[in-house]
């Protein structure tokens, strides 16, 4: 992911710098430094090879000795792949194809950075990338173990073979990516290639466009549309939804889609909502591998809903009306610039620091979250934060709505559907944008400019107190740093936000907006599974579920696994000698000792929340330091236990899951949920190992959702709905960081507005009062 400054010169490739470059860092002692280099066996496993290097004295050398090291790659090990790296990875895999036919049939679903082990990230932050943090590595008695260079970056590719209908996963080492800028030849190295049986990878935008074209050219479909009064195929919209898995007919032996059909009117609306006219009664099944219609049936003639005057959602004058005129300009000005600092993908703000990443599937990823706490220095909180899945099940049992249970991350990709954000619209203030790069279906590289937005926001009052005796008051304004991106998946928009606060809180927020997915009604028909919003038009009830994956590291240095999870419930004391006034209640703690015990649900009746604690670090009162997960509004699936979509989404059955970190356990429904015939793959199967959680490397999986019963006011556009949760310090700090927030002057901002005479409330005449 490149910054806007990097765009002018294109994305520079990541490569090792000239070997003559050195970085000098102070060692812990004058003993010889141990220098490690990574080698690899045929299976790609890392082996540390140590050799002794004695540092030579120089005028700049301290009495403790200074080891000399080669400079690392210009890209941090967690930086997303650059344009050059993606191109090299694709070229390397394509060149490895056995025959020209195989190479020509390759379709590239995903090319992402193969994230390195946490120890490699710690090494990079300690010695190779500023701000240097040697304390991240444990010093050995004989001197610090310092590799002369970092291991090569690697790419992980998911490749679909259109000819054979096979899906494979490739690992490519990007040792000499810089060669592309000189000779144009790929210099990657294939480390492994594995065919994954019985799966279908996510769909691609290219396939969606091809599917629409194939359906619109299909003669029986055109005839069916003529029956509905539509001759112009340019008005028809075909959304190629994945079929999910409902029976053996949906098995992944074929790559299938069951499109939903909509039709625009013949108006000249510049931004017409085509979803306002769903086409009901037509059954289409498309073979996406060969791009042919394999099933078609015009089952029921349902008239198209009449043209809705609200179908246009552009400015008022284009709709024959006017926009509100009583809104004055609201300006956000930071005349001295922002308080954050950005170096590549590394962000520092107030006492926070972290790295920004991006993947085609998850979208925004936050790495290495830490808080600088005075004399205690850098205190880690989380290794990695992201939204790893979302599921949208619909509650209408009628065709085709019962099949609408999209896995928008696993079947499509949140990152691939992200927007290019525009200043003054999606974000306000002093903004830092980041671009995102990913491969398209045929292996080319595409860039979403201004994909991730970083900016500060005023957030009301942080804290306030007034002494009633003296009349003196203290107040602090709250400011937060927001990192966000927005994506569109068919009709819906989703905004994903991570907010960092001055008092140590982290808030995860999702904003839902966009357009409702609708159904058509027969004249006089009524559906109890939705809301009638216009003549012949209804919006089915549905739910939205999101899964946040949080690889925690509360007060844990690299290599440490000293976290556990405690559940807190507030209990009412039983009447008796300890509760003679019947007013007593208390917080009860329960240690979640194993993965099966840690399948938990939200309970607002007991104010239930969970705390991730460090088992070996205490605060000034002797309590273990921690961060607590505070649920927001939430729900569980409103479906029977045998609901078909729960085969693939069994992780929705609980709001909280906790696992012991294991490499490769990344997505709750498994990596390939599309047409997945296996029950409970992913998170549900991993916890069956019932690994210990009493002191380990903790991963939280928080499932949160909203039940949407559409309103008339949700049409033609759906105002933003917000939901999310908080990560709050709990005994982590010795006192609130909010006490250090400096006061801000508000006197200059308290100008009284002019009040027009027409806005003054006048008394009601007595004669009128008598009549009333």
């Amino acid at each position: 992911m490149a910054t806007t400054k990097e765009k002018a010169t294109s994305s520079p490739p990541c490569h090792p710098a000239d070997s003559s470059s050195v970085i000098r860092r102070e060692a812990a002692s004058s003993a010889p430094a141990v220098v490690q280099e990574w080698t690899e066996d045929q299976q790609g496993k890392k082996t540390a090879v140590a050799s002794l290097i004695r540092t030579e004295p120089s005028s700049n050398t301290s009495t403790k000795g200074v080891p000399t090291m080669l400079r690392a790659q210009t890209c941090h090990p967690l930086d997303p792949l650059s344009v050059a790296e993606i191109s090299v990875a694709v070229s390397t895999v394509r060149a490895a194809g056995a025959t020209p036919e195989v190479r020509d049939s390759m379709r590239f679903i995903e090319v992402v950075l193969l994230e390195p082990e946490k120890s490699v990230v710690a090494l990079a932050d300690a010695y190779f990338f500023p701000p240097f943090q040697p304390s991240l590595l444990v010093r050995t008695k004989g001197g610090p173990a310092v590799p002369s260079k970092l291991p090569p970056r690697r790419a992980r590719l998911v490749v679909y073979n259109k000819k054979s209908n096979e899906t494979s996963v490739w690992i490519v080492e990007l040792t000499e990516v810089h060669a592309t800028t000189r000779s144009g030849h790929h210099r990657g190295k294939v480390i492994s290639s594995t065919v994954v049986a019985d799966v279908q990878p996510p769909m691609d935008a290219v396939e969606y466009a091809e599917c629409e074209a194939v359906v619109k050219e299909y003669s029986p479909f055109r005839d069916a549309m003529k029956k509905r009064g539509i001759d112009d195929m340019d008005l028809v919209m075909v959304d190629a939804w994945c079929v999910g898995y409902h029976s053996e007919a949906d098995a992944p032996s074929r790559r299938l889609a069951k499109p939903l059909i909509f039709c625009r009117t013949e108006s000249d609306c510049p931004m017409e909502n085509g979803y306002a006219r769903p086409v009901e009664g037509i059954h289409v099944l498309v073979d996406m591998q060969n791009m042919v219609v394999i099933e078609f049936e015009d089952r029921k003639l349902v008239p198209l809903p009449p043209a809705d005057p609200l179908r246009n959602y552009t400015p008022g004058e284009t709709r024959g009306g006017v926009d509100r005129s009583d809104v004055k300009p609201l300006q956000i000005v930071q005349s001295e610039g922002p308080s954050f600092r950005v170096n590549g993908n590394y962000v520092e703000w107030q006492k926070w620091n972290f790295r920004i990443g991006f993947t085609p599937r998850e979208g925004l990823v936050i790495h290495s979250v830490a808080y600088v706490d005075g004399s205690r220095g850098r205190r880690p909180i989380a290794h990695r934060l992201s939204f790893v899945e979302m599921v949208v099940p619909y509650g209408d049992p009628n065709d085709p709505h019962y099949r609408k249970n999209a896995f928008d991350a696993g079947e499509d990709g949140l990152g691939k559907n992200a927007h290019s954000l525009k200043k003054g619209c999606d974000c306000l203030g002093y903004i830092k944008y980041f671009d995102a790069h990913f491969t398209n279906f045929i292996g080319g590289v595409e860039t979403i400019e201004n994909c991730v937005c970083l900016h500060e926001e005023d957030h009301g009052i942080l804290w306030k107190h007034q002494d009633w005796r003296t009349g003196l008051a203290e107040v602090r304004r709250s400011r937060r740093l927001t990192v966000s991106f927005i994506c569109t998946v068919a009709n819906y928009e989703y905004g994903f936000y991570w907010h960092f606060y001055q008092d140590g809180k982290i808030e995860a927020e999702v904003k839902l907006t966009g357009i409702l997915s609708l159904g058509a009604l027969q004249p006089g028909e009524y559906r109890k599974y939705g809301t009638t919003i216009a003549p012949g038009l209804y919006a089915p009830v549905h739910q939205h579920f999101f899964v946040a994956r949080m690889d925690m590291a509360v007060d844990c240095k690299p290599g440490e696994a000293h976290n556990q999870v405690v559940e807190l419930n507030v209990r009412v004391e039983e009447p008796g000698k300890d509760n003679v006034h019947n007013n007593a209640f208390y917080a009860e703690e329960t240690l979640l000792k194993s993965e099966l015990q840690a399948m938990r649900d939200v309970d607002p009746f007991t104010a239930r929340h969970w705390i991730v604690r460090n088992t070996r670090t205490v605060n000034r009162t002797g309590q273990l330091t921690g961060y607590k997960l505070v649920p927001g509004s939430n729900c569980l699936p409103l479906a029977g236990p045998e609901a078909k979509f729960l085969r693939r989404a069994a992780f929705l059955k609980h709001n909280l899951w906790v696992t012991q970190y294991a490499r490769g356990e990344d997505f709750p429904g498994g990596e390939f949920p599309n047409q997945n015939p296996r029950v409970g793959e992913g998170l549900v199967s991993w916890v069956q190992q019932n690994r210990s959680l009493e002191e380990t490397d903790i991963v939280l999986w928080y499932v949160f959702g909203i039940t949407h019963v559409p309103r008339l006011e949700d049409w033609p556009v759906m105002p933003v709905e917000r939901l999310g949760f908080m990560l709050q310090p709990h005994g982590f700090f010795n006192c609130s960081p909010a006490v250090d927030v400096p006061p801000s002057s508000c006197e200059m901002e308290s100008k009284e507005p002019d009040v027009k005479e027409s806005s003054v409330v006048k008394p009601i005449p007595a004669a009128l009062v008598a009549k009333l």
Side-chain angles (χ1 to χ4, degrees):
M1 188 161 54
T3 65
T4 51
K5 289 183 179 180
E6 293 170 334
K7 283 191 289 183
T9 57
S10 76
S11 298
C14 300
H15 61 84
D18 186 3
S19 60
S20 63
S21 302
V22 297
I23 296 178
R24 298 186 180 275
R25 303 294 298 155
E26 186 173 325
S29 68
S30 59
V34 178
V35 178
Q36 294 179 337
E37 294 190 3
W38 277 277
T39 62
E40 300 211 355
D41 57 23
Q42 293 180 348
Q43 285 72 40
K45 296 180 180 179
K46 289 196 245 334
T47 305
V49 180
S51 60
L52 290 179
I53 295 182
R54 297 186 180 275
T55 59
E56 298 296 331
S58 69
S59 59
N60 296 327
T61 304
S62 71
T63 56
K64 294 183 179 180
V66 179
T68 300
M69 296 175 293
L70 302 178
R71 189 176 297 276
Q73 287 97 329
T74 56
C75 278
H76 187 276
L78 290 177
D79 284 351
L81 297 179
S82 67
V83 170
E85 287 179 311
I86 294 174
S87 298
V88 166
V90 169
S91 299
T92 302
V93 169
R94 182 171 275 140
T99 65
E101 290 76 14
V102 171
R103 294 192 287 271
D104 291 342
S105 297
M106 286 182 174
R107 299 295 181 266
F108 295 86
I109 304 297
E110 181 180 271
V111 181
V112 297
L113 174 74
L114 181 64
E115 294 179 15
E117 298 286 351
K118 297 173 183 179
S119 59
V120 175
V121 176
L123 174 68
D125 291 335
Y127 289 102
F128 291 92
F129 288 87
F132 300 105
Q133 303 168 78
S135 62
L136 290 179
L137 293 185
V138 179
R139 297 188 183 279
T140 60
K141 185 176 182 181
V146 182
S148 62
K149 60 182 178 180
L150 293 172
R153 282 161 63 86
R154 291 182 171 185
R156 185 178 189 273
L157 300 88
V158 176
V159 180
Y160 173 70
N161 190 295
K162 194 170 177 65
K163 183 178 180 63
S164 64
N165 195 33
E166 286 184 339
T167 300
S168 56
V169 175
W170 299 68
I171 306 298
V172 173
E173 186 175 282
L174 305 170
T175 310
E176 300 181 45
V177 172
H178 60 291
T180 59
T181 62
R182 297 198 300 265
S183 62
H185 299 300
H186 73 84
R187 297 297 298 275
K189 174 186 176 184
V190 175
I191 301 300
S192 66
S193 171
T194 306
V195 173
V196 185
D198 205 27
V199 300
Q200 283 294 337
M203 295 288 187
D204 185 85
V206 172
E207 291 180 291
Y208 290 151
E210 292 177 352
C211 177
E212 180 175 71
V214 165
V215 172
K216 288 162 70 169
E217 287 297 321
Y218 190 62
S219 176
F221 175 77
R222 298 172 75 95
D223 293 339
M225 293 305 298
K226 286 182 181 180
K227 291 180 183 178
R228 291 158 174 82
I230 302 299
D231 292 311
D232 185 359
M233 286 295 108
D234 289 340
L235 298 175
V236 177
M237 297 164 45
V238 180
D239 282 7
W241 283 53
C242 297
V243 299
Y245 187 89
H246 290 75
S247 67
E248 185 58 29
D250 302 326
S253 56
R254 299 183 299 173
R255 188 165 176 80
L256 302 174
K258 281 197 172 180
L260 298 179
I261 314 298
F262 305 89
C263 185
R264 296 184 291 113
T265 68
E266 298 201 35
S267 68
D268 57 355
C269 295
M271 288 288 287
E272 184 183 346
N273 176 12
Y275 293 106
R277 302 182 79 199
V279 179
E280 295 269 2
I282 294 179
H283 165 82
V284 187
L285 183 66
V286 179
D287 179 340
M288 300 291 280
Q289 176 191 359
N290 302 300
M291 210 52 71
V292 295
V293 176
I294 56 177
E295 290 182 15
F296 180 86
E297 185 179 356
D298 190 354
R299 294 176 173 173
K300 181 173 61 174
L301 181 60
V302 180
L304 284 174
D308 192 323
L310 296 177
R311 67 189 178 278
N312 186 334
Y313 45 88
T314 52
E317 55 269 19
T318 67
R319 292 183 279 111
V322 294
D323 287 327
R324 302 180 191 185
S325 59
D326 55 352
V327 178
K328 301 297 184 182
L330 178 64
Q331 297 179 343
I332 298 174
V333 178
Q334 292 177 275
S335 57
E336 299 181 20
S339 301
F340 57 78
R341 293 181 294 175
V342 179
N343 183 359
N345 284 19
Y346 182 74
V347 177
E348 293 177 286
W349 178 77
Q350 302 275 297
K351 297 177 181 293
W352 290 103
N353 58 74
F354 53 86
R355 289 188 173 276
I356 291 178
F358 198 89
T359 73
R361 181 167 182 160
E362 301 158 278
L364 176 62
V365 180
I366 308 293
H367 297 281
S368 304
V369 180
Y371 191 96
V372 180
D373 185 18
S375 61
R376 299 190 69 165
R378 180 183 184 274
R379 301 181 67 184
I381 295 170
H383 288 297
R384 193 179 192 277
L385 306 173
S386 70
F387 294 95
V388 288
E389 190 56 271
M390 61 172 290
V391 183
V392 188
Y394 279 70
D396 189 337
N398 295 284
D399 190 36
H401 306 287
Y402 76 93
R403 280 187 173 269
K404 290 160 67 173
N405 42 78
F407 286 61
D408 287 336
E411 291 179 343
D412 289 283
L414 302 178
K416 271 193 170 184
N417 288 288
H419 295 184
S420 178
L421 305 175
K422 303 300 180 184
K423 190 171 184 178
C425 301
D426 301 292
C427 308
L428 293 176
Y430 195 107
I431 302 167
K432 174 65 175 178
Y433 287 114
F434 298 84
D435 296 348
H437 311 296
F438 56 90
T439 183
N440 58 27
F441 204 42
I442 59 176
V445 181
E446 296 186 1
T447 297
I448 303 175
E449 296 183 343
N450 298 350
C451 183
V452 172
C453 174
L454 172 74
H455 71 291
E456 294 174 286
E457 296 178 339
D458 179 87
H459 195 62
I461 294 176
L462 177 62
W463 64 270
K464 180 175 183 174
H465 179 67
Q466 178 170 312
D467 190 320
W468 65 271
R469 292 181 174 85
T470 64
L472 298 177
E474 283 288 333
V475 63
R476 299 293 188 270
R477 297 294 299 178
S478 176
R479 184 181 298 193
R480 67 186 185 184
L481 183 70
T482 296
V483 195
S484 63
F485 83 104
I486 301 174
C487 66
T488 298
V489 186
N491 54 294
Y492 256 106
E493 264 73 23
Y494 301 96
F496 296 90
Y497 299 78
W498 292 96
H499 305 293
F500 296 85
Y501 290 85
Q502 292 164 299
D503 60 348
K505 294 197 301 285
I506 304 172
E507 181 183 14
E509 183 182 31
V510 180
K511 297 179 182 179
L512 299 79
T513 181
I515 304 294
L516 293 170
S517 181
L518 306 172
L521 298 172
Q522 296 274 15
E525 185 183 5
Y526 164 79
R527 291 271 179 91
K528 72 176 183 179
Y529 306 106
T531 302
T532 301
I533 60 173
L537 198 61
Y538 82 107
V541 294
H542 57 280
Q543 294 181 292
H544 299 260
F545 289 100
F546 304 88
V547 185
R549 180 182 182 274
M550 295 164 280
D551 185 355
M552 303 300 291
V554 177
D555 261 348
C556 286
K557 292 183 178 180
E560 296 180 349
H562 300 157
N563 282 178
Q564 61 182 202
V565 180
V566 174
E567 179 176 285
L568 265 73
N569 290 279
V570 177
R571 305 295 187 189
V572 175
E573 185 68 77
E574 293 292 333
K577 63 182 181 65
D578 293 329
N579 188 18
V580 295
H581 302 292
N582 289 317
N583 70 314
F585 57 92
Y586 61 96
E588 179 182 74
E589 295 187 0
T590 302
L591 175 64
L592 303 181
K593 296 183 179 181
S594 66
E595 292 176 325
L596 289 178
Q597 185 187 358
M599 298 185 297
R600 309 298 297 163
D601 295 327
V602 168
D603 186 355
F605 296 103
T606 65
R608 180 175 293 168
H609 58 273
W610 301 275
I611 303 174
V612 180
R613 284 181 173 162
N614 187 292
T615 57
R616 305 191 184 188
T617 305
V618 297
N619 54 32
R620 66 175 178 176
T621 65
Q623 298 172 321
L624 298 177
T625 61
Y627 253 77
K628 70 176 180 179
L629 191 163
V630 182
S633 60
N634 210 332
C635 62
L636 288 169
L638 296 172
E642 300 303 318
K644 299 297 184 181
F645 78 91
L646 287 178
R647 290 175 59 96
R648 302 186 294 150
F651 54 85
L652 298 183
K653 294 180 179 180
H654 295 288
N655 297 129
L656 181 77
W657 306 73
V658 185
T659 59
Q660 186 182 116
Y661 171 81
R663 193 166 176 84
E665 294 184 1
D666 302 319
F667 305 109
E671 183 170 11
F672 302 104
N674 185 17
Q675 297 180 235
N676 185 0
R678 295 167 292 281
V679 178
E681 188 173 63
L683 186 54
V684 176
S685 62
W686 300 333
V687 298
Q688 298 306 314
Q689 303 171 71
N690 205 24
R691 293 164 291 196
S692 172
L693 302 176
E694 294 191 61
E695 185 180 64
T696 188
D697 195 346
I698 291 292
V699 179
L700 299 179
W701 308 75
Y702 183 61
V703 182
F704 60 106
I706 184 172
T707 301
H708 190 186
V709 179
R711 310 166 300 158
L712 199 60
E713 291 80 7
D714 291 333
W715 184 252
V717 292
M718 196 187 83
V720 166
E721 297 270 5
R722 294 174 171 86
L723 66 157
F725 61 92
M726 280 279 190
L727 291 172
Q728 295 181 342
H730 188 87
F732 189 78
F733 301 108
N734 282 329
C735 66
S736 173
V739 76
D740 297 327
V741 176
S744 58
S745 176
C746 299
E747 285 78 8
M748 299 300 294
E749 303 171 9
S750 59
K751 180 181 178 182
E752 291 292 334
D754 294 332
V755 179
K756 296 181 180 179
E757 184 179 354
S758 61
S759 65
V760 177
V761 178
K762 298 180 179 180
I764 302 175
L768 181 58
V769 171
K771 290 182 179 181
L772 294 174

